[in-house]
Amino acid sequence: MAVSSVYLECDVYMVCLAHALSTEREEVMGLLIGEMIDNRILHISSVIILRRSDKQPDRVEISPEQLSDAAIHAERLTNELKRPMRVLGWYHSHPHITVWPSHVDVRTQAMYQLMDDCFIGLIFSVYSEDKQTKQCRIQVTCFQSVNQSPEGEPPQYMRIEIPLHIKQQNSMSQSCLESLVELPKILTREEEEEYERTMITGNNLDLINRIHNGAVFSKSLCHIMEVMSGPLMHTLESRLKQNELKLKSLSQERDSLLKQLKSTRN
């Protein structure tokens, strides 16, 4: 294997999970950005949420344009952080199904590894119910593909699990914060494109069908506001209050240390 282990920052994990939980009807996807440490260890510190051009319950696709934009974003992070950042993997969701990659996922992963043998894949299984406890559970796996066929024969790929570690962070990075704030906008744009497509292809629809399509579109936007925008705003406001309290505590501690230092000098 080209990769021995992967370290995923917890704010990246939160963004990926929020994206995966945004819908239980179709799969979602995104790209992972980070750096390689000690040749075989990957450190993922940023994420790019991708807009879907075609919603499917069991398939996701990444266009060459999206990969190119992600590479440009990685170069920008390299300049900002003064570290060699690059696109190191992709993630997608499995709503209501097992966390293990399908044969299509394994082949897709193999294709990406032709460009970079360190490229990894993450799968988030969401909305899956435990048959015993009847509770929904969330699972995540990290994998790569390997060709098990003898040389000269058609390739037969199989998955290899990569150890995944969630790295604790005390604060959210600016890049992950921007991705999280962008999520409702991306979901809204997907719904707008779906509605515009029905308007273009449905020129012969009668008035009732047009009203129905408009109502479905409005319902989808309200759903995004209810399950994404509202909770996201509440979460960010809570984080802001926590940061303000922490800043106040640190300021008081600083003043106390300065007084002690002043008294010591006297």
Side-chain angles (χ1 to χ4, degrees), residues 138-150:
I138 296 172
Q139 294 178 295
V140 59
T141 187
C142 180
F143 73 103
Q144 283 194 305
S145 297
V146 293
N147 183 10
Q148 295 296 302
S149 298

Side-chain angles (χ1 to χ4, degrees), residues 100-101 106 141 143-146 157-161:
W100 307 122
V106 173
T141 187
F143 73 103
Q144 283 194 305
S145 297
V146 293
Y157 297 105
M158 66 173 292
R159 63 174 174 85
I160 296 293
E161 286 190 69

Side-chain angles (χ1 to χ4, degrees), residues 233-250:
M233 184 177 296
H234 178 73
T235 299
L236 295 179
E237 287 176 349
S238 299
R239 277 181 171 265
L240 177 60
K241 291 180 180 179
Q242 292 176 2
N243 291 337
E244 290 174 344
L245 291 174
K246 186 176 181 180
L247 178 61
K248 184 178 180 180
S249 176
L250 291 173

Side-chain angles (χ1 to χ4, degrees), residues 77-176:
L77 287 177
T78 297
N79 296 328
E80 292 176 1
L81 303 176
K82 307 302 180 184
R83 303 201 309 264
M85 309 292 285
R86 72 189 216 208
V87 181
L88 290 176
W90 68 307
Y91 73 90
H92 72 283
S93 64
H94 274 187
H96 294 291
I97 58 176
T98 178
V99 72
W100 307 122
S102 65
H103 64 282
V104 176
D105 295 333
V106 173
R107 288 203 307 268
T108 301
Q109 175 63 32
M111 179 187 68
Y112 291 139
Q113 287 176 215
L114 293 177
M115 299 182 294
D116 184 350
D117 60 354
C118 293
F119 209 87
I120 55 98
L122 294 182
I123 297 178
F124 289 81
S125 174
V126 292
Y127 299 107
S128 296
E129 185 181 87
D130 188 289
K131 294 182 179 179
Q132 295 181 348
T133 62
K134 302 300 181 181
Q135 293 180 342
C136 288
R137 61 180 180 179
I138 296 172
Q139 294 178 295
V140 59
T141 187
C142 180
F143 73 103
Q144 283 194 305
S145 297
V146 293
N147 183 10
Q148 295 296 302
S149 298
E151 186 176 355
E153 295 187 9
Q156 294 182 355
Y157 297 105
M158 66 173 292
R159 63 174 174 85
I160 296 293
E161 286 190 69
I162 307 296
L164 178 65
H165 310 276
I166 307 299
K167 186 177 179 181
Q168 184 176 357
Q169 298 289 118
N170 295 324
S171 61
M172 180 180 292
S173 68
Q174 181 67 26
S175 176
C176 287

